[in-house]
Amino acid sequence: MDLIKTAASVLLAPIQYIFGFCYKEFSQIQSLDKDATKLTASLDTIQKLLNDAEARTIPSDAVKSRLKKLEDVAFDAANVLDELKYHLLSKQIEHTEMTMMEKVLSCCSSRYDSIAQSRNMALRIKEINENLESINKEATELGLVARLENEPTLVNAATFETDSFTLDPIFIGRDDIASEIVGMLTNSITTDDGSVSILAIVGMGGLGKTTLTRKVFHRLKNENRFGSHIWVHVSPYFDPIILFKKILKEVSQQNKQLPSNQVESSSKQDILSKPDQVEIESKQDILSELQKALKDKTYLLILDDVWNQDVLIWEGFMNSLLGVSDCVKGNAIVVSTRNMEVASIVNTLHIHELKGLSEEDCWSIIRAKAFGKKDVPSEFEAIGRKIARRCQGLPLAANIVGGVLHNHNKSEEKWRSIEEKWLSPNEGGDNMTKILRLSFDNLSPPLIKKCFAYCAIIPKGSKIRKQELIELWMAEGFLQADGRDDMESVGEKFIDVLLHNSLLQVSERDYYGNVESCGMHDLVHDLVHDLACSVSSSSNSTGGSSRVRYMILGDNYCRDESRRIPKEMAKSLRTLLFEGDISDINFSDLESLHVLHLQSEVKKLPSSIRKLIHLRDFDISNTSIEVLPDWIGEFFHLQTLRANSEHLRKVPSTIKYLINLRHLYINEKVELPMGIGRLTSLQTLTHFRVGDKNGCKIEELGSLINLKGELWIGHLERVHDKEEAGKANLFKKSKILNLCLNWGEDRREGERNDEDVLEGLQPHSRLRKLEIREFKGSRFPSWTQKMSVPDAPRGSWVLLNNLMSLTLFKCFECEEIPMLGHLPNLKSLRLDGLLKLKCINSSFYGMVNKDTHIVFPVLEKFELVFMPELAKWAEIEISDGSEVKLFPRLQHLTIYNCFRLKSVPSHVSSCLEKLWIYGSGVECLPADWLLSNSETLNWLRISECRNLREISDRWGEEESEGRSFTITSLPIFPRLTYLFIRGVPKLSLETVDAMRHLQIVGNKNIDP
């Protein structure tokens, strides 16, 4: 009965929205006949009945059945309206493009088509009216009465405000266990003669196995215990070939991120040339490539959520894995599983059976979720501890109920109500299910329930990008813009609500700490799958109701005739996520489709897709399509087009007719056609290549006032001057956070106006990431030099205080760099390929903050790469003699191929963890760089520094007339686990104990 209530609430939200929307739209269309007028009245009556259903506790299957029928009619009405709007848009665009004579001829020739279309529409409206009359009668018999709509509950944005420093999820009660497991693995890999140590973590779902395993994984990764760190979610289906593919992909991607000279020359080409997608299929080929990728490297492998109980399958998997890594000792595998039988067959050194948290720990989680750092009133604590006891030691339960209580942290009565009503011991059923349903029942506004149910399309154990999920919700009509927020902003709020209630979990965050992708705990996924009554997958699509609306089909679709989509089922489908061969599919059967995602080797779109006039979200990124057809411009309702495939080269000119397009994802090689500026609804345009013809120039960006997120602008050499550049109106686009300005080689001989053009490309002050690539000016213009932009209304300059990342790449002619040290949020700085830069002047440090006396206050990563003329890096100049902190939070410093650079600033107070110097003329590393980092430095690599003789002028003693320097104090770095020295003939080291990785090449004075 509880599930019936919950499922009914899922159905109510979209029905209310669709009928409310249809009522508004139909009432505005004056040309409809009496049946349409009748439909408008019926929609109004049904809306009032739905308001009554929403206000009730749904007690019976009968009401649920009527709601299901009503949902079908609601979708039919929405389709009729959608089709009507489509034809109106078609006529509008057709008239806009025609000459006067063409308009007259078109009016005559299309008259008969219009009559036929109107008759068809009238018949469909009449049928909907009949269905509504029948349901209306049944609803009255069930006791539903017309009720006026109440004011909808709005999401309080401030309540769910987050920041980039919050740790999520809350990790309480498991620190000692994590340390114990890390200690076991560390001890095992250093003392055991075997090539791999295996540890299993066992516990019921929701107990926190994955969270604990993730903590162990990151602690070991931070300690650099292994060459590769691999995380694989296994799921119930244990397929060794699939697992080896996942492992190979993880290792290959990590190898690609290494500096090129860290990869052994014998395997460098093999590793770096690997594609992101592992295309090889045979087990022999996969293992052969995996052996190359793991060559001479240790690994930590996490196998999360293992269900396999077949001893032979496990032994076969392990024998293959050992075969590709048997030459290297010190590997580790951590297995997490719900089943003790699974743990017993994996031959572990230890099985850790995870127990529930204490009541005190559960209360700590609830308190943190409900009150944060605020004090808890005693009356709330007493009730909260009772609720914590009901959590039965499950951290997931504590997180969920804490999220619910957060919304009622000022009402003792509400807390008592929640404790008594939902957590009474007299209620039957599983306690976890009740808590999950409690969190669901408290979701507001109602449409968020449908959004949550839609998440059943996410396969268990997978993750989905937040933006993609929002776009899917939008395509299905679940996001309703209001006067303040557009659909995407509403979707962002919905995501926040679901995260706060632990119904979604953060899988990845971006560089700024924002949520990048989401997933669900297994138990939450079980709940959402039960809620989503209209979701099907390739494993069950042959059974059940023909009114399936959302479907996922995998590769086996074309291999099994029984898995084809029946025509009746196809008619109601609204979302299809398809993987495999599409050659035999007649897409015109999918007449209601709103979302189509294809993953296929297809090179040409079948013409039957052209019939999908309701399409709003179309993804062909994972295909081999090279050219989009002209008829793509007929998708007038399309909101999202993902076509960022490396194969795509051409977009047709008809794309300018997609007037509802909001998100366009393409790669940088695609040159957009003329008139892209007409797409004024665009919010996402990842890449824009400036053309030299009218309709393709940079001014096309000027009218795209809603652009946000990331924007790459290429071929800026085609822009003539500052005035033309200013037509892009970048300074008005406050929602663009990542901006890349890229010049190319398409220049007229002797023409160079880069400085003038860059002056006209001033961004908004909210910019977070800036890249300037292949700029050929000798000086940066004023806004770049000061890192501030003019504020016209105030007549002053505003610093780019939000800037967190800056890259200057291949600015070959630049002779000076901007002032940067005063930027309060700059975390990453890369200066790469500034061939003519001779000196980093003291102006580089900018204006010293008079209050804090800190320069580069939050810079964490600084890279100086390939600047062959750079000879001097000046000290900071302080006029008043006060002490200044320089780079206090610097963690990674790279100096690469700066051959003439002989010294670096001495007065620093950083917390370096990683120092890499390659191909530098540096003779001495000042003591400040190392002594101030003695407790943090864990990675040190020095290569091809022929003049380096001193690592610090405070240690050791000189020998042989200053040509050699001996260090006897390396143990002063207790965390140093990696040391690589090559091509440093004047340096001598004696004591290098406690190194996890040590490689010294070509140094006669160094005794390892």
Side-chain angles (χ1 to χ4, degrees):
M1 187 63 68
D2 288 335
L3 187 59
I4 291 174
K5 297 177 185 178
T6 306
S9 66
V10 173
L11 293 174
L12 278 169
I15 299 171
Q16 286 178 313
Y17 169 66
I18 291 171
F19 274 119
F21 178 73
C22 291
Y23 170 66
K24 293 176 183 176
E25 293 292 327
F26 273 122
S27 62
Q28 293 175 6
I29 299 175
Q30 303 297 322
S31 59
L32 294 178
D33 59 13
K34 61 181 181 181
D35 283 326
T37 304
K38 184 178 180 181
L39 175 59
T40 302
S42 298
L43 291 174
D44 183 39
T45 302
I46 293 295
Q47 179 65 56
K48 292 175 181 177
L49 292 173
L50 289 170
N51 294 335
D52 185 51
E54 175 69 18
R56 294 169 175 240
T57 298
I58 308 299
S60 67
D61 288 332
V63 172
K64 181 187 172 186
S65 174
R66 270 57 177 187
L67 289 174
K68 190 67 178 174
K69 288 183 180 179
L70 199 54
E71 181 188 46
D72 293 340
V73 179
F75 280 122
D76 289 340
N79 282 342
V80 170
L81 174 61
D82 212 35
E83 189 173 334
L84 179 61
K85 292 180 69 176
Y86 176 87
H87 290 298
L88 291 174
L89 284 172
S90 176
K91 292 295 182 184
Q92 175 185 332
I93 292 171
E94 185 179 324
H95 256 57
T96 302
E97 297 299 313
M98 286 181 178
T99 64
M100 182 59 68
M101 181 60 69
E102 288 172 333
K103 290 179 181 179
V104 173
L105 294 174
S106 174
C107 182
C108 297
S109 62
S110 62
R111 180 178 179 185
Y112 295 105
D113 292 336
S114 299
I115 294 173
Q117 178 185 313
S118 298
R119 287 176 177 172
N120 178 54
M121 194 73 69
L123 289 173
R124 294 169 65 185
I125 291 174
K126 186 175 182 178
E127 182 180 356
I128 293 172
N129 273 328
E130 291 173 354
N131 290 332
L132 285 175
E133 286 179 359
S134 175
I135 295 173
N136 190 5
K137 182 179 178 182
E138 293 174 352
T140 304
E141 292 172 354
L142 288 170
L144 292 177
V145 297
R147 183 190 297 265
L148 293 176
E149 184 177 10
N150 294 323
E151 184 71 20
T153 305
L154 298 177
V155 181
N156 187 341
T159 304
F160 304 109
E161 184 177 353
T162 61
D163 58 75
S164 61
F165 302 100
T166 303
L167 294 177
D168 186 24
I170 300 168
F171 191 77
I172 291 176
R174 306 284 200 210
D175 278 300
D176 291 341
I177 298 174
S179 298
E180 178 186 348
I181 293 173
V182 168
M184 285 184 182
L185 290 172
T186 302
N187 182 64
S188 177
I189 62 177
T190 54
T191 60
D192 196 340
D193 292 332
S195 62
V196 62
S197 303
I198 305 175
L199 184 144
I201 300 174
V202 186
M204 66 168 288
L207 206 52
K209 301 184 299 298
T210 299
T211 303
L212 173 62
T213 305
R214 189 180 295 116
K215 179 67 70 172
V216 170
F217 178 81
H218 285 295
R219 284 190 183 179
L220 289 169
K221 187 175 183 180
N222 290 337
E223 293 175 8
N224 289 315
R225 296 286 182 183
F226 303 90
S228 291
H229 301 80
I230 310 159
W231 182 288
V232 175
H233 179 266
V234 180
S235 79
Y237 185 49
F238 193 99
D239 186 329
I241 292 181
I242 292 176
L243 295 181
F244 285 130
K245 278 188 176 183
K246 290 181 178 181
I247 294 170
L248 175 57
K249 181 177 179 181
E250 285 277 316
V251 176
S252 299
Q253 289 178 336
Q254 290 177 27
N255 286 338
K256 288 171 68 176
Q257 295 171 2
L258 291 173
S260 59
N261 66 333
Q262 275 188 245
V263 185
E264 289 296 321
S265 58
S266 60
S267 60
K268 174 180 174 183
Q269 188 61 37
D270 289 336
I271 293 175
L272 294 184
S273 62
K274 296 246 183 289
D276 288 340
Q277 298 294 328
V278 179
E279 300 293 341
I280 49 182
E281 293 294 335
S282 75
K283 184 178 180 181
Q284 175 69 22
D285 288 342
I286 295 170
L287 293 177
S288 176
E289 293 299 321
L290 184 57
Q291 187 175 44
K292 295 177 185 177
L294 286 174
K295 184 178 181 181
D296 298 330
K297 295 174 66 176
T298 58
Y299 63 82
L300 169 64
L301 172 62
I302 304 296
L303 295 175
D304 188 43
D305 194 22
V306 179
W307 294 70
N308 173 61
Q309 299 182 50
D310 191 315
V311 177
L312 294 179
I313 292 179
W314 173 258
E315 289 180 348
F317 170 79
M318 281 305 303
N319 289 338
S320 297
L321 186 59
L322 292 172
V324 300
S325 59
D326 61 344
C327 297
V328 181
K329 310 295 183 183
N331 303 303
I333 299 176
V334 178
V335 174
S336 72
T337 179
R338 299 186 185 188
N339 196 321
M340 182 61 75
E341 181 67 19
V342 173
S344 66
I345 69 171
V346 299
N347 193 26
T348 64
L349 67 96
H350 176 72
I351 297 177
H352 188 95
E353 188 173 359
L354 197 59
K355 304 296 184 181
L357 295 177
S358 66
E359 288 182 17
E360 185 64 30
D361 286 334
C362 285
W363 164 238
S364 295
I365 293 173
I366 292 172
R367 181 178 57 199
K369 293 281 285 189
F371 287 94
K373 294 183 179 180
K374 297 178 182 178
D375 293 332
V376 182
S378 57
E379 61 270 25
F380 283 91
E381 181 170 346
I383 305 170
R385 288 185 178 277
K386 292 180 182 179
I387 297 175
R389 190 177 304 124
R390 303 294 185 190
C391 292
Q392 299 178 343
L394 297 175
L396 177 64
N399 269 285
I400 292 173
V401 76
V404 173
L405 294 174
H406 172 82
N407 298 324
H408 307 292
N409 60 12
K410 295 182 179 179
S411 171
E412 181 182 347
E413 181 180 351
K414 285 284 187 180
W415 277 51
R416 291 190 184 280
S417 174
I418 290 173
E419 193 274 329
E420 293 170 1
K421 186 173 182 181
W422 284 290
L423 298 175
S424 169
N426 297 324
E427 292 184 19
D430 180 75
N431 205 34
M432 170 57 74
T433 303
K434 292 174 184 170
I435 294 177
L436 291 172
R437 187 171 57 81
L438 166 65
S439 187
F440 174 82
D441 289 342
N442 277 269
L443 290 177
S444 179
L447 271 173
I448 199 172
K449 295 181 178 180
K450 188 64 176 179
C451 288
F452 175 62
Y454 187 83
C455 291
I457 67 168
I458 307 172
K460 184 177 286 189
S462 298
K463 58 189 176 185
I464 186 169
R465 289 189 175 276
K466 180 182 75 171
Q467 181 63 27
E468 182 179 352
L469 183 57
I470 290 173
E471 289 165 2
L472 289 169
W473 288 344
M474 186 170 64
E476 287 293 341
F478 302 153
L479 304 180
Q480 190 173 6
D482 54 34
R484 183 180 56 185
D485 296 315
D486 59 15
M487 291 185 288
E488 289 82 358
S489 298
V490 174
E492 292 264 2
K493 291 182 178 181
F494 283 10
I495 292 280
D496 289 342
V497 171
L498 294 175
L499 286 171
H500 190 85
N501 285 280
S502 297
L503 293 172
L504 289 180
Q505 295 179 332
V506 177
S507 297
E508 292 176 320
R509 293 185 182 272
D510 62 17
Y511 182 76
Y512 314 114
N514 301 316
V515 177
E516 183 79 12
S517 60
C518 302
M520 282 183 288
H521 190 280
D522 286 354
L523 289 178
V524 177
H525 194 281
D526 292 341
L527 171 70
V528 76
H529 190 271
D530 289 337
L531 294 175
C533 307
S534 297
V535 174
S536 178
S537 68
S538 55
S539 61
N540 63 6
S541 60
T542 56
S545 169
S546 61
R547 287 282 190 166
V548 174
R549 305 202 184 278
Y550 318 115
M551 182 176 288
I552 306 170
L553 283 174
D555 260 340
N556 55 3
Y557 172 76
C558 294
R559 300 174 191 170
D560 186 349
E561 289 294 328
S562 65
R563 298 192 186 277
R564 293 185 180 278
I565 307 174
K567 190 167 184 178
E568 281 303 307
M569 184 182 292
K571 289 174 62 177
S572 60
L573 270 183
R574 292 171 62 88
T575 291
L576 177 60
L577 311 183
F578 185 87
E579 177 185 0
D581 184 13
I582 65 172
S583 58
D584 295 329
I585 301 178
N586 184 11
F587 285 96
S588 58
D589 290 342
L590 306 170
E591 57 188 50
S592 300
L593 206 63
H594 282 54
V595 176
L596 178 58
H597 288 195
L598 298 178
Q599 186 170 343
S600 171
E601 293 301 315
V602 63
K603 295 185 178 181
K604 183 179 180 182
L605 286 176
S607 58
S608 58
I609 292 181
R610 186 176 187 176
K611 302 293 185 181
L612 306 181
I613 64 172
H614 301 286
L615 205 60
R616 281 162 167 77
D617 188 317
F618 192 23
D619 188 345
I620 56 170
S621 296
N622 295 308
T623 68
S624 299
I625 293 170
E626 298 177 356
V627 179
L628 287 175
D630 288 341
W631 48 257
I632 201 79
E634 297 175 9
F635 293 152
F636 304 129
H637 287 309
L638 197 66
Q639 297 168 335
T640 302
L641 176 58
R642 289 183 176 268
N644 48 336
S645 163
E646 61 180 14
H647 302 283
L648 187 66
R649 292 292 180 270
K650 185 178 179 182
V651 174
S653 61
T654 54
I655 196 173
K656 64 189 176 190
Y657 301 139
L658 303 180
I659 58 177
N660 286 305
L661 192 65
R662 304 169 75 88
H663 304 283
L664 176 59
Y665 300 90
I666 55 174
N667 65 65
E668 69 274 10
K669 297 177 183 178
V670 176
E671 190 158 351
L672 291 168
M674 293 188 294
I676 200 70
R678 293 171 57 173
L679 303 181
T680 54
S681 296
L682 268 185
Q683 294 189 11
T684 301
L685 178 62
T686 52
H687 296 89
F688 179 84
R689 295 178 66 189
V690 178
D692 51 12
K693 297 179 181 179
N694 289 334
C696 300
K697 296 182 178 181
I698 198 169
E699 63 186 24
E700 293 295 308
L701 293 174
S703 58
L704 305 182
I705 60 175
N706 297 309
L707 287 182
K708 65 179 183 179
E710 180 178 347
L711 176 61
W712 175 94
I713 307 177
H715 286 289
L716 284 168
E717 74 280 2
R718 297 173 180 170
V719 181
H720 295 101
D721 51 34
K722 173 183 176 180
E723 182 181 359
E724 183 179 348
K727 292 179 180 179
N729 288 331
L730 293 184
F731 66 96
K732 293 183 178 180
K733 295 176 172 50
S734 61
K735 295 182 180 180
I736 291 181
L737 303 180
N738 299 353
L739 179 63
C740 179
L741 303 175
N742 203 147
W743 279 256
E745 300 300 327
D746 187 16
R747 300 174 182 268
R748 296 177 183 177
E749 187 174 349
E751 184 179 284
R752 184 169 294 172
N753 53 2
D754 297 30
E755 294 178 21
D756 198 32
V757 170
L758 184 56
E759 181 70 52
L761 294 174
Q762 298 171 13
H764 193 275
S765 60
R766 293 181 60 187
L767 194 69
R768 290 186 177 181
K769 181 178 181 180
L770 174 64
E771 292 187 36
I772 300 177
R773 307 174 73 89
E774 301 186 60
F775 170 76
K776 297 301 189 298
S778 60
R779 293 171 54 88
F780 287 103
S782 55
W783 74 264
T784 318
Q785 191 62 240
K786 301 175 183 178
M787 281 294 141
S788 58
V789 292
D791 184 350
R794 299 180 182 178
S796 60
W797 288 76
V798 179
L799 283 175
L800 296 178
N801 281 339
N802 294 293
L803 197 67
M804 301 178 70
S805 176
L806 174 64
T807 297
L808 304 179
F809 179 75
K810 288 187 177 181
C811 300
F812 293 150
E813 304 297 325
C814 284
E815 299 175 0
E816 59 182 37
I817 53 178
M819 296 186 294
L820 302 171
H822 57 295
L823 295 177
N825 290 299
L826 188 64
K827 289 186 175 183
S828 175
L829 175 60
R830 181 180 179 92
L831 306 178
D832 188 343
L834 279 65
L835 302 186
K836 290 190 177 183
L837 184 68
K838 297 180 179 180
C839 176
I840 298 178
N841 296 315
S842 59
S843 61
F844 167 65
Y845 302 109
M847 298 170 288
V848 178
N849 188 303
K850 295 181 179 179
D851 296 325
T852 63
H853 294 281
I854 298 176
V855 179
F856 287 104
V858 299
L859 191 69
E860 297 175 354
K861 186 176 184 179
F862 188 15
E863 298 172 281
L864 297 170
V865 181
F866 197 56
M867 293 188 283
E869 296 299 316
L870 181 63
K872 181 181 178 182
W873 184 352
E875 300 277 359
I876 187 170
E877 297 178 0
I878 308 299
S879 58
D880 59 4
S882 59
E883 184 178 348
V884 173
K885 290 184 179 181
L886 179 60
F887 304 123
R889 291 176 61 177
L890 188 64
Q891 298 174 12
H892 295 179
L893 174 64
T894 299
I895 303 175
Y896 190 92
N897 279 344
C898 299
F899 311 110
R900 300 185 62 188
L901 183 62
K902 295 185 177 181
S903 65
V904 296
S906 57
H907 300 291
V908 298
S909 55
S910 59
C911 51
L912 269 183
E913 297 177 1
K914 179 178 178 180
L915 176 60
W916 183 21
I917 303 177
Y918 177 91
S920 171
V922 172
E923 297 178 354
C924 171
L925 291 181
D928 284 355
W929 283 98
L930 295 177
L931 283 179
S932 64
N933 301 299
S934 61
E935 295 296 322
T936 58
L937 191 68
N938 59 55
W939 197 98
L940 178 60
R941 183 184 181 99
I942 305 174
S943 309
E944 308 305 325
C945 297
R946 301 293 172 177
N947 298 323
L948 182 65
R949 60 186 181 85
E950 297 182 33
I951 290 188
S952 170
D953 53 11
R954 296 187 188 177
W955 301 338
E957 58 187 33
E958 289 194 57
E959 298 177 354
S960 304
E961 299 179 355
R963 289 181 298 173
S964 176
F965 195 78
T966 301
I967 293 177
T968 59
S969 305
L970 270 179
I972 200 171
F973 299 109
R975 296 182 181 274
L976 191 62
T977 59
Y978 179 96
L979 176 64
F980 182 102
I981 297 177
R982 179 172 62 190
V984 193
K986 296 182 180 180
L987 183 67
S988 177
L989 303 180
E990 286 187 353
T991 305
V992 288
D993 296 336
M995 298 294 131
R996 286 296 305 146
H997 180 97
L998 172 62
Q999 185 171 1
I1000 302 174
V1001 182
N1003 288 72
K1004 297 180 180 179
N1005 296 323
I1006 298 179
D1007 181 13

